[in-house]
Amino acid sequence: MAASSIDAFVVIYNDPETTSDLREKERANETITYKNFIQDNIRVLSTNTNGNSDVAGLLFVPDYPEGSLCINQTSQYIPQNATRIRDLPEVEIMFMAIAPWIPQATSPDCVLSLFEAVPSSVKGFIFYLPESPAGAPPPINDPVWGLDDGGSWKSKYKFPVYAIPGPDGQSIMDQLGQYSGRVTDVPNSTALLNQYHPGHNAKMYAIVNLTNATSLPSLWAFLLIVLGIVLFMIALTSGIMHLYQRRRRNALRRRIVNGEVDLEKLGIKRLTVPQDAINMLPTFVYNPSEKDLLDRPRDHVTALSDFPVKESDTETTDSDKVAPPPPSTTLTSPRLDEAPKPPPSLQPPTTTAPNTQQGQPSYAQPTCPICLDDFIPLQTTVRSLPCHHIYHPECIDAFLLRNSSLCPVCKSKVLPKGYCPATITNAMVRRERQQRRNRDRIRRIRGEGAAASMPVASLVEPNERSWERGSERARRRISLFMHQEEQRNPTAEEEEHERLAGLPRWRKAIKSVFPGF
């Protein structure tokens, strides 16, 4: 505990010869007695405590051993009639010792003998340097307070030790010689007798006002304030960033529900089709039209040009060559944000079948692109996707349920309109926003008329250019497609998860506090 102030004053209490109850001691009138209030200029030399009570009590001067040289060294500072331990009542009451600290002594025995002379019940010890100037005493690490024992005396004696300015200590010591008897023997006794009984005693009393030693200095308080401000700014910034990212996720969720964004087609998130949505896709018995049976071979299937083909595959015979479009045919560049349309020759017929058992509008491809088995007319049950490509139900159902939500042939969306995944992450928002900006930048660079000047071959859909090629080459390309579907590049969500797995914990903590950092 630290001492903030020491209050020394005169108290009046009953004659101990007539009563042992000294609890009703009274503080004497300060205008006719003595008072000294010392604040701030106090050094705590030892912080030991003697019990849980306050540091207060009647002041007395300890006695040096008989024949000690210290008596002559301190006689000029201690009045002869100063209160000694023998002058105090032999009842249970609190005491405090006061004495001069003599640094000129040839050995520390004077101070140590004073420590040994005080009773074990003493509440505290007050020292002062007699001839020191006014102001705070020397700091506790000053050599003047050394007793040549390495500071072991601070833990040996179980009472606190304080140091006060020399003038204040000498003033209290002088008054200790004045107020050490009955009321009739002290200064201004006439005035005191008007208020107190002649048998009452007048003694010096001291109270040490303590403060919590753990109270932080002003510098630490300032640092705590700065730290609090920094933490508040971090929390505010984190809250704003979380709110901003949440708004962007909600905006992307609304665009997905409205059909403006397809996460899987953009390579952002791998989606699958729920079983309920798969069950709603129509199934019917395969029944191609007579024209389809005459114009196309049985093993003709839709070919994909998204994958490389060997040079030997590009060699075609005259019968395989596709006639160029007539001069009147005009081709326009497809919009970048639209899914490619199927070739005109593959679009579903304009007339609908009488019922789902006899026929269904479709591309009428004779082979399942997944298992490469031919459909048997009027026997095989097929499932049609919204893009009108048909498959065996057992093939396409497993593919949509476990692999992808896109048509294996044309990459059209199979999920119902308004479907949105339950979780939208910040990584999805960043990747979609980046791709949207790239598309806008490409539109600005190309301009409105740039697409019209592109070669005709570059504007024809790959599926349309490759449809008329041989069935064997189509089979190889579909097999390659199915293999690469299994080994497809990771999505943005998978890349983000892999990247986060390799980050240290402190960086993960920063990203959780500051999303998007």
Side-chain angles (χ1 to χ4, degrees):
M1 304 294 286
S4 61
S5 63
I6 295 179
D7 190 10
F9 52 90
V10 178
V11 294
I12 307 296
Y13 60 90
N14 297 334
D15 185 0
E17 296 180 358
T18 59
T19 178
S20 60
D21 188 6
L22 301 180
R23 293 175 297 179
E24 297 182 0
K25 55 184 177 294
E26 181 179 351
R27 186 166 183 164
N29 189 349
E30 298 173 358
T31 59
I32 58 177
T33 57
Y34 173 80
K35 175 188 176 182
N36 191 343
F37 185 77
I38 306 170
Q39 189 174 14
D40 297 333
N41 295 329
I42 303 173
R43 298 292 186 190
V44 180
L45 304 182
S46 173
T47 57
N48 295 324
T49 57
N50 193 349
N52 297 325
S53 58
D54 297 334
V55 181
L58 295 174
L59 290 174
F60 71 98
V61 180
D63 294 319
Y64 292 103
E66 294 183 4
S68 174
L69 297 177
C70 302
I71 298 176
N72 295 331
Q73 294 176 356
T74 59
S75 59
Q76 58 179 326
Y77 308 116
I78 302 176
Q80 292 184 357
N81 57 342
T83 303
R84 302 288 180 167
I85 188 65
R86 60 181 175 271
D87 300 327
L88 298 176
E90 297 180 0
V91 294
E92 186 177 353
I93 193 172
M94 296 185 296
F95 305 121
M96 285 191 66
I98 184 171
W101 187 292
I102 309 299
Q104 297 88 352
T106 58
S107 68
D109 294 340
C110 293
V111 176
L112 294 176
S113 62
L114 291 176
F115 286 149
E116 295 291 342
V118 299
S120 59
S121 60
V122 71
K123 295 301 181 181
F125 208 129
I126 299 176
F127 282 102
Y128 66 94
L129 296 174
E131 298 180 358
S132 63
I140 59 175
N141 57 355
D142 193 278
V144 72
W145 307 117
L147 298 180
D148 298 336
D149 61 350
S152 62
W153 65 270
K154 297 180 180 180
S155 58
K156 179 180 179 181
Y157 302 103
K158 304 302 181 181
F159 48 80
V161 180
Y162 307 99
I164 61 176
D168 292 323
Q170 192 60 52
S171 174
I172 295 175
M173 182 64 73
D174 293 339
Q175 296 300 319
L176 197 61
Q178 297 290 333
Y179 295 93
S180 61
R182 296 185 182 275
V183 175
T184 56
D185 301 330
V186 299
N188 299 322
S189 59
T190 304
L192 291 174
L193 288 173
N194 295 329
Q195 303 178 25
Y196 305 104
H197 190 273
H200 288 180
N201 290 271
K203 302 291 185 182
M204 289 295 300
Y205 196 89
I207 298 177
V208 180
N209 297 313
L210 303 177
T211 58
N212 194 345
T214 59
S215 59
L216 298 178
S218 57
L219 177 60
W220 286 102
F222 172 75
L223 293 179
L224 286 178
I225 293 174
V226 173
L227 180 61
I229 294 175
V230 171
L231 293 178
F232 172 76
M233 295 303 299
I234 291 176
L236 180 63
T237 304
S238 176
I240 293 176
M241 294 183 69
H242 276 281
L243 180 62
Y244 178 70
Q245 294 292 340
R246 181 181 179 183
R247 294 182 61 182
R248 291 177 60 178
R249 291 194 301 269
N250 292 337
L252 178 60
R253 183 176 285 105
R254 287 193 298 269
R255 297 178 62 218
I256 294 174
V257 171
N258 295 335
E260 302 175 14
V261 177
D262 191 333
L263 295 179
E264 187 167 15
K265 186 176 292 186
L266 296 176
I268 297 176
K269 180 177 176 62
R270 196 184 304 273
L271 301 176
T272 57
V273 182
Q275 185 63 51
D276 295 341
I278 295 176
N279 296 336
M280 296 178 62
L281 297 175
T283 58
F284 54 89
V285 176
Y286 177 68
N287 184 15
S289 63
E290 183 179 355
K291 182 176 181 302
D292 292 333
L293 294 175
L294 294 176
D295 292 347
R296 297 194 183 95
R298 290 269 309 181
D299 57 353
H300 199 93
V301 295
T302 303
L304 302 175
S305 60
D306 294 339
F307 309 98
V309 184
K310 296 181 180 179
E311 293 183 359
S312 59
D313 295 338
T314 59
E315 298 177 0
T316 57
T317 61
D318 295 340
S319 61
D320 292 334
K321 294 182 180 179
V322 182
S328 60
T329 303
T330 58
L331 297 174
T332 59
S333 176
R335 293 180 59 185
L336 297 177
D337 55 351
E338 292 180 352
K341 296 180 180 180
S345 61
L346 304 181
Q347 291 182 357
T350 56
T351 59
T352 59
N355 53 62
T356 59
Q357 298 296 330
Q358 296 179 355
Q360 183 77 5
S362 67
Y363 282 136
Q365 75 253 19
T367 302
C368 175
I370 296 180
C371 66
L372 303 181
D373 288 343
D374 293 339
F375 299 132
I376 301 176
L378 303 179
Q379 293 186 15
T380 303
T381 300
V382 296
R383 188 184 295 280
S384 177
L385 301 186
C387 58
H388 301 296
H389 285 113
I390 57 176
Y391 304 84
H392 290 122
E394 58 272 15
C395 297
I396 193 60
D397 290 3
F399 178 84
L400 296 177
L401 193 62
R402 295 193 296 265
N403 292 2
S404 175
S405 65
L406 302 179
C407 173
V409 175
C410 65
K411 300 299 182 183
S412 297
K413 182 178 180 180
V414 180
L415 287 169
K417 184 178 180 180
Y419 177 83
C420 179
T423 303
I424 300 295
T425 64
N426 296 330
M428 300 179 191
V429 175
R430 290 194 299 270
R431 182 63 66 91
E432 190 277 334
R433 190 164 177 259
Q434 180 183 4
Q435 294 190 9
R436 180 157 37 90
R437 287 182 173 180
N438 292 340
R439 291 196 301 270
D440 295 340
R441 188 180 299 110
I442 292 175
R443 290 193 186 98
R444 289 195 300 269
I445 294 175
R446 288 183 177 180
E448 294 295 335
S453 61
M454 296 175 63
V456 173
S458 64
L459 299 179
V460 179
E461 291 296 330
N463 288 343
E464 184 177 354
R465 295 199 308 269
S466 60
W467 176 269
E468 299 298 335
R469 296 175 185 175
S471 60
E472 290 298 327
R473 200 179 97 195
R475 289 180 185 273
R476 289 194 298 270
R477 301 187 75 145
I478 291 179
S479 300
L480 178 62
F481 162 78
M482 296 303 297
H483 174 72
Q484 292 194 4
E485 274 295 320
E486 298 177 356
Q487 307 295 332
R488 59 191 297 186
N489 294 329
T491 62
E493 183 183 35
E494 295 168 346
E495 291 178 354
E496 182 73 9
H497 179 74
E498 183 178 358
R499 187 178 68 87
L500 290 177
L503 291 179
R505 292 184 178 179
W506 66 270
R507 292 193 60 182
K508 292 181 181 178
I510 292 178
K511 289 186 68 65
S512 62
V513 176
F514 301 104
F517 177 74

